[in-house]
Amino acid sequence: MSGRATAILAAVLAILALGYAGLLRWERQSRQEEFRAKRLFDFDTADVEGLRLTREGEPAVAARRTDEAWSIVEPHPIPANPDPWRRMAEAVAGLTNERTVADEDAPMGDFGLDAPGLVVRVEARGREHAVAFGKATPMQDRRYARLDDGPVIL
């Protein structure tokens, strides 16, 4: 094989390698954009100022964050272990909508949302949102939920 043919084949190989690397980068960016589009909230963990958990048949437990220190404010004001509240804030900030199941006019009893087992209220950036969690899906891998008074989501 001549030197010219070798150079052409090397150039074709370089072009194919660059094209493949570009395709992988585009695919990774598409997956990241798709994940960001599924997020329920536009805030991060550091923006969470307060959490309030209400379980069916139990009194509410609420905590507030000042800097990095969490303290329980309800039912009795006491200092709190910050680790579980930080993890809860991370979990809430990272909630995603995998799929919208039914609109807001659907019967909520079908999804266990007429009397939800858990309601999480989150304060972030001066706004408050409530996420109600209902029954588990038939596959037991997700839960039906409802953000504020919106549609039923997974």
Side-chain angles (χ1 to χ4, degrees), residues 14 25 34 46 59 62 68 74-75 79 91 93 113 141 154:
R25 182 176 176 175
E34 182 180 329
E68 290 302 313
E74 197 177 324
L113 291 167
D141 60 342
L154 289 179

Side-chain angles (χ1 to χ4, degrees), residues 26-105:
W26 175 78
E27 186 178 298
R28 184 175 43 244
Q29 285 176 340
S30 295
R31 276 185 274 149
Q32 288 174 348
E33 288 173 14
E34 182 180 329
F35 177 76
R36 277 193 290 264
K38 288 182 174 183
R39 285 189 60 187
L40 288 183
F41 302 114
D42 61 349
F43 55 80
D44 294 322
T45 304
D47 298 326
V48 176
E49 302 154 357
L51 291 167
R52 179 186 173 98
L53 309 175
T54 308
R55 291 179 50 171
E56 185 178 12
E58 295 181 12
V61 177
R64 299 218 32 92
R65 181 177 63 85
T66 54
D67 296 323
E68 290 302 313
W70 284 90
S71 61
I72 295 176
V73 295
E74 197 177 324
H76 306 290
I78 58 172
N81 179 355
D83 198 44
W85 292 99
R86 180 187 51 78
R87 286 191 314 235
M88 178 65 73
E90 286 174 4
V92 168
L95 285 174
T96 59
N97 174 5
E98 294 299 316
R99 184 167 55 97
T100 300
V101 179
D103 62 11
E104 51 273 353
D105 298 331

Side-chain angles (χ1 to χ4, degrees), residues 91-151:
V92 168
L95 285 174
T96 59
N97 174 5
E98 294 299 316
R99 184 167 55 97
T100 300
V101 179
D103 62 11
E104 51 273 353
D105 298 331
M108 293 298 132
D110 295 349
F111 307 102
L113 291 167
D114 54 344
L118 174 67
V119 177
V120 177
R121 294 188 189 287
V122 58
E123 287 181 48
R125 295 185 182 165
R127 296 185 316 233
E128 183 175 313
H129 297 283
V131 182
F133 294 91
K135 295 182 199 175
T137 60
M139 296 293 292
Q140 301 291 316
D141 60 342
R142 304 222 189 301
R143 288 209 169 266
Y144 296 111
R146 189 174 189 200
L147 175 61
D148 297 324
D149 291 326

